[in-house]
Amino acid sequence: LRRSKLMAAVAPCAYYGCRCGQPGHMAAFQQSAGLMHPTHAHQDSPVKLRFRRLLLELKPMEEKYWEAQQLVQQMAVHEVGHWVQAILERPLPMQWMHNFSIQILGELLQRHPVVVTSEFGKVKKNISWLFPEAGDVDTAAEFFRNLLWTKETMGQNTKREASTFSKLLMKRTKQSDLVKVPPCTARASLVHIWKDVPSARPNRELLVRC
């Protein structure tokens, strides 16, 4: 009983490594990120509710990943698009949530490449969601590369997505020329994508200069 009282006094977000010590923190960022809607929760689709439950349940990350894998394996094709849309609906407030969501997208991409590439392309701010300013670039870049490579193997051009990523890099670094973007993980990831996915490459002049 004493241990349970002690655990109750610790902020739930500390369970995921935040360690801010503020008991109201988890509820606050749930509200700010739209993860909790007490009044209108019944209006949300079952997919959105299931996704929020996956994010917010107090479980070890290993269990969350296992549950997500099982979910993807058992998912009906007609549900895949709803999951992609639910994941990309809004930015997530913590890095582990973002990485966990990308993990689900990666699993879905392997099993349902046509649906995932199509639905991802329908989301207006898909690239900025994938690469938030304080996000894990390596995790995002790996999924992005796989997504573009998959599109190319299906005979689709990927230059638009790569160009959007380039513009995002310039915007974040306040540069008007991609060549002037300082060396960073995101820039290196873009160059690797150009190497692996020919249809994502810019014109030859820019390719040589970068």
Side-chain angles (χ1 to χ4, degrees), residues 36-55:
M36 182 190 295
H37 301 285
T39 306
H40 305 290
H42 64 281
Q43 297 177 1
D44 288 324
S45 69
V47 167
K48 289 183 181 180
L49 294 175
R50 183 80 182 274
F51 176 55
R52 288 181 191 135
R53 184 180 65 77
L54 267 176
L55 289 178

Side-chain angles (χ1 to χ4, degrees), residues 8 34 36 71-72 109 148:
M36 182 190 295
L71 181 67
V72 170
L109 180 64
L148 298 190

